[in-house]
Amino acid sequence: MTLSIGAILKRSREKRRLTQDDVSKYIKIPNKYLRAMENDDYTIFSDKVHAKGFLRLYSEFLNLNSEELLALWRREYEKYFDTKKI
């Protein structure tokens, strides 16, 4: 079974014994966005640049392979933004 991007982020954060508050304070991403990423909910983001930027910051903070996660994100979620009406 393949883990979702959100599950990978959450598992990595918890493995480091960090709370979302800890992460938010260090990388300056509000909790609501961290929570959304961990829940694979990208509807909260205004556009794909916003979502990808936060995902890159979060994954790099957790020492994850950000390029690999971004490739997964593009395959799974980028189409949402491409069809989203402004």
Side-chain angles (χ1 to χ4, degrees):
M1 183 177 152
T2 305
L3 293 175
S4 71
I5 294 169
I8 292 168
L9 294 169
K10 184 176 182 178
R11 180 180 282 183
S12 182
R13 176 181 58 77
E14 289 175 342
K15 190 175 186 180
R16 288 165 176 74
R17 297 183 180 177
L18 296 168
T19 66
Q20 286 179 344
D21 284 337
D22 296 331
V23 175
S24 178
K25 287 175 189 170
Y26 189 79
I27 61 174
K28 308 293 190 246
I29 295 176
N31 276 336
K32 67 180 182 177
Y33 295 111
L34 297 174
R35 194 169 28 258
M37 287 187 284
E38 288 187 1
N39 289 323
D40 296 304
D41 176 11
Y42 292 92
T43 61
I44 190 172
F45 295 94
S46 58
D47 58 41
K48 65 183 171 185
V49 173
H50 184 212
K52 287 169 35 178
F54 277 8
L55 178 58
R56 180 182 299 278
L57 278 172
Y58 195 9
S59 61
E60 288 175 354
F61 173 75
L62 295 172
N63 294 317
L64 298 170
N65 184 331
S66 61
E67 292 306 316
E68 187 177 296
L69 281 180
L70 285 167
L72 289 170
W73 184 88
R74 282 190 292 276
R75 189 173 67 226
E76 297 295 320
Y77 301 104
E78 192 167 45
K79 63 185 168 273
Y80 164 77
F81 291 100
D82 291 340
T83 60
K84 184 177 176 183
K85 302 291 182 213
I86 298 175

